[in-house]
Every structure is written in structure tokens, then in C-alpha cells.
Amino acid sequence: MLLAITGFVMIGLLMFFLLKGKAIPMTLFVVLPILGAVINGYGLTDIAGFIKDGVSTTWSMAALFVFVVTYFGIMTDVGMFDKLVQKLIRIADGHVLGIFLVVVLIATLGHLDGNSPTTYLIAIPALLPLCKKLNIRITAIMAVCCSVITVMNLVPWGGVLNRQSVTLAMDSGLLWRAYLPMQIFGWFCCVGLAVVMSRIEVRRGAGKAAVLAAGETAETAADPEVLALQRPKLLWYNVIMTVVVFVLLFKTSLPNYSIFMMGCVLALAVNYPNPKDQEARLAAHAPKVISLVATVLSAGVMVGVLNNTGMIVAMAELIIHILPDFLCAHLHLVFAFFGGFIGLAVSPDPLYYGILPVLIEVCSQYGIPAQSVAIAFGIGADSCFTLAPVIASTYLGLAVSGLSLKEHMRFSFFPLWIVGLLMIAFGCVMGYIVI
């Protein structure tokens, strides 16, 4: 009981302080789980083991952030995106809806491999300068991009189905066939969200007026310091190198961080051959890198304590114990409805290896098939995972978009949650999810 109550209090405090902006994520990720473990009688040796296990799951993403942020920072410095943005502005001609539909298309294709970091890297950096020129809020772009990621994450090789197939002891391809109608419906919901977001942005003044203003200011507001960093004669070298980086991401099994590590070295060596200039570029991008890496490594502390103390399962069992019988008969729908909130606080492994088996066991007593439980819970918990503070890839999306976690959560949570609920409702109405 104490373990479960501690978990609820800990997650409640985490969300409160994050959304109110009363503390930085790094502080919360370290202090709250350590206090929670101490309250439940764990000693320093146990806690040290939890931290080691948790950080081992986030260090590679932290390494990726170091080189991703630096690489795209250098590409911005040298002016690689300027020509692309100018061409996209001419093509878009102020058509805001077209930009949002491009986001849907890019995110769909980018997430075919089920890899969120790759999708962020493909969709956001190239569109970010364009959105600024067109006066489109990047929060809206990220909301649409994340909605597509959550839907496309339900592929057989994605994290949700991979884990659920282990729990259900069935082939992930067969499980995907059961998910497919909801996934297709969800994709069209993402298109609908893109239309809604575009209309909201147009009402805010995004579009042609912004394009004209951007064109006028571009001619007159050139900063000498910015111009000194640009390398127009090396444009094609930088474009080709960036294309090679993405080809390696898709076509090889090399660790992502090693690819961007090599890209950073080559970008610095060719664009800024003077070592002093290279040091200056690294120093210029270091503040954002340090903040992100510290946050991601600290998130490992939270993940380690939640996973290794059994806190997540204890919380699920407490909820089941206090629910009335008539709700227990539809427990999978209850957890599916609140899945967006659960997915914010719990990383995928305890979700599908810890909570899901408990749900399946309880629901089986009421004749609910395990597959229906898995689908309902999977869609619900997956709906907002791109906002989860305990998932490292969230911070990559924040890094390339320039948003804070608070901004991203406040803007995107309800649109993403509603898309998930619509998918679940569609599954129930069409009989794919047993009620």
C-alpha cells in the first residue's frame, strides 16, 4: 500500500511542478524518486543499483543529444537551411494547410521504422525556420507530428506491439492485423487534426502576410556576425553530408549517436578548419546540450526507481482493488481512457510487462479476451507517450523544436489524448475491442 501511495504522490508532484514551472525536470527526476525509495525502506546500496539500471537505459540517448544538437546547430550556422526555407516559402505561397499536410506525410514516412528520434530529426529541423517565416507556432507543428508518431508507432516492429507480443505470447504481425483498422482510422484523425491546426494558425495571422514581412526583413536585417559564420560555397557539401547522415540512420545498424558524432567532426573540420573557430562553435551550442543531457540522464533515476521497486505494479493493483465491481468488468476501458495520463508517467517496459499482465488477469475473470485488453490499453497508453518526461526521445523532440516540456505538454496533451480516445471509440463501435 505504501509503495503505491508513494508512487501516486511522486508522479502527482512531478506533474504539478513541471506544469507550474516551479522546478526544472532534472531536480525532480533526482529528488522525488530517491525520497520515494527511502520512504519505502530501500538503502543506499539498493538506490545506487536502481540509478545505475535506470541511467543505463538513457545514456545512449544523452550521447545522441550531444551530437544532434551540435550538428544541426552547425548546419544552421553555415546557412544550409536558408536556401531550403526560401524555396519552401515560394512553394507554400502562404498555404498553411499545405505545410501541416507535409508534416503528416513526412512524419508518416519517417516513422515507418518505428523510431521516434529519426522522425523528429527528419520532420522538425527543416520545417522550423519555415514555420518562423510563416508565423506558424512550432507547438502546433509538434502536436501534429506527435499525433502521427503515436499512430505510426503501432507497427509490428514498434515498441508497443513488440512488448505486447511478448506478454501475449503471439506474433507481432498477427497482433498488428488486429490493430490495423484503428491505426488507419487514427491516421485520418491526424489529417483532421492538421486541418484544424492550420485553420487556427491562419486565424492567428499565419500565411501570406507573414511571408511578405519575412521577405522584406530578410533583405534589411542581415546580421554581420551571422553572415560571418555562413559558408555558401560549401552548401552542396553540407547538403550531401546531411543526406548521407540520414541514409546511414535508415540503412545501417550503427548507433545513432556514432553517426552524428562523425557528422559533427566532418562538419566542423570542413566548414571551420581553424581550431579556434571549432571551439567557438562547440561553446556556442554547449548550453542547450548540457541542459538536455543532464535532464535525460536524470530521467534515468526516475525510470530506475519506478521499474525496480515494483512501484508501478503496486499502483495498478491498488487502483484495481478500490474500483467497484461494475467498473472492473470494463477495466480495460477504464485504463484505456486514462491511458494518456498513465503513459505520461510510466515508461514502456513497466506498462506492458508489469501493468498489462495484471489487467489481462483481472479482465479474464469477466470474459474479456486478452487481445482486446492489450489493444485498448496499448492505444490509450501510446496516445501521449511523445510527451512523457520519463521517455528520453521526448527531449530530442524538444531539442530540435526549441520548446520547453511545459509548453509542449500544455499545447499537445489534449489533442493527442483525443486522437487516442477516438481510435478506442472506433474500435469499440466496430467490434474490434470487446466491451
Side-chain angles (χ1 to χ4, degrees):
M1 178 73 79
L2 178 61
L3 191 62
I5 293 173
T6 304
F8 284 117
V9 172
M10 197 168 77
I11 291 170
L13 289 174
L14 173 68
M15 294 303 173
F16 173 80
F17 284 115
L18 282 178
L19 293 175
K20 291 292 184 180
K22 299 293 185 181
I24 62 174
M26 181 181 72
T27 303
L28 299 171
F29 289 150
V30 173
V31 173
L32 291 176
I34 290 177
L35 285 177
V38 169
I39 289 171
N40 282 274
Y42 291 97
L44 290 178
T45 302
D46 295 324
I47 294 172
F50 300 158
I51 293 173
K52 183 177 180 181
D53 288 345
V55 172
S56 70
T57 66
T58 60
W59 75 263
S60 61
M61 188 63 71
L64 174 63
F65 287 174
V66 172
F67 299 108
V68 163
V69 173
T70 305
Y71 182 83
F72 283 109
I74 294 168
M75 291 300 104
T76 301
D77 292 339
V78 301
M80 188 192 79
F81 294 115
D82 291 352
K83 295 290 184 183
L84 174 63
V85 170
Q86 291 168 13
K87 188 167 184 63
L88 287 173
I89 287 176
R90 287 195 294 271
I91 294 171
D93 191 28
H95 294 111
V96 177
L97 175 58
I99 301 300
F100 278 92
L101 294 178
V102 166
V103 173
V104 173
L105 180 61
I106 293 175
T108 301
L109 297 174
H111 206 70
L112 286 174
D113 64 348
N115 189 346
S116 301
T118 305
T119 310
Y120 288 129
L121 294 173
I122 292 172
I124 302 303
L127 290 174
L128 182 58
L130 175 62
C131 292
K132 290 179 179 178
K133 298 281 189 182
L134 294 175
N135 194 28
I136 299 172
R137 291 176 296 177
I138 193 61
T139 46
I141 294 292
M142 279 289 285
V144 173
C145 180
C146 289
S147 71
V148 178
I149 289 175
T150 58
V151 171
M152 293 304 297
N153 202 43
L154 302 175
V155 290
W157 47 88
V160 176
L161 270 69
N162 262 334
R163 291 176 175 89
Q164 287 194 345
S165 63
V166 172
T167 300
L168 296 172
M170 69 180 296
D171 181 75
S172 62
L174 293 175
L175 182 58
W176 178 57
R177 292 178 189 176
Y179 266 101
L180 189 56
M182 280 74 74
Q183 189 180 26
I184 294 172
F185 176 79
W187 189 86
F188 282 103
C189 288
C190 295
V191 174
L193 179 62
V195 173
V196 171
M197 288 294 179
S198 69
R199 290 182 177 177
I200 291 172
E201 293 305 296
V202 167
R203 290 196 194 103
R204 293 185 62 260
K208 287 188 176 181
V211 174
L212 294 174
E216 292 168 3
T217 57
E219 297 296 327
T220 59
D223 187 334
E225 292 184 7
V226 172
L227 291 176
L229 295 173
Q230 293 183 351
R231 298 293 185 268
K233 293 182 179 179
L234 294 171
L235 174 64
W236 285 109
Y237 168 79
N238 290 308
V239 169
I240 292 170
M241 182 172 62
T242 302
V243 170
V244 169
V245 164
F246 282 113
V247 169
L248 292 175
L249 283 173
F250 275 109
K251 298 295 185 180
T252 71
S253 58
L254 290 171
N256 289 353
Y257 60 83
S258 69
I259 295 171
F260 279 98
M261 184 189 299
M262 292 184 286
C264 280
V265 170
L266 293 173
L268 284 171
V270 175
N271 289 288
Y272 304 104
N274 189 321
K276 289 185 178 179
D277 291 337
Q278 295 175 10
E279 289 286 350
R281 289 301 87 217
L282 290 175
H285 301 295
K288 183 181 284 189
V289 169
I290 291 171
S291 174
L292 283 167
V293 169
T295 300
V296 171
L297 292 175
S298 300
V301 180
M302 175 73 83
V303 171
V305 171
L306 288 175
N307 289 3
N308 289 283
T309 59
M311 196 174 285
I312 296 299
V313 175
M315 292 165 65
E317 290 176 342
L318 178 60
I319 292 173
I320 292 168
H321 180 72
I322 63 177
L323 284 176
D325 285 343
F326 76 92
L327 282 180
C328 284
H330 305 286
L331 191 64
H332 59 311
L333 298 180
V334 173
F335 271 73
F337 182 82
F338 291 106
F341 298 91
I342 298 169
L344 282 179
V346 184
S347 58
D349 284 350
L351 273 178
Y352 302 116
Y353 298 143
I355 295 178
L356 182 58
V358 176
L359 288 179
I360 289 173
E361 177 61 30
V362 174
C363 290
S364 67
Q365 300 172 23
Y366 297 91
I368 306 296
Q371 184 172 287
S372 281
V373 177
I375 292 173
F377 184 59
I379 294 173
D382 178 68
S383 63
C384 298
F385 89 95
T386 50
L387 310 177
V390 294
I391 295 179
S393 61
T394 299
Y395 298 97
L396 181 58
L398 298 178
V400 296
S401 66
L403 295 176
S404 69
L405 183 60
K406 180 174 77 171
E407 290 173 320
H408 190 29
M409 290 178 70
R410 280 185 168 178
F411 190 92
S412 298
F413 176 79
F414 283 105
L416 298 184
W417 187 41
I418 289 170
V419 169
L421 292 180
L422 288 173
M423 292 170 67
I424 294 166
F426 175 80
C428 291
V429 171
M430 301 302 294
Y432 300 114
I433 298 174
V434 175
I435 300 176

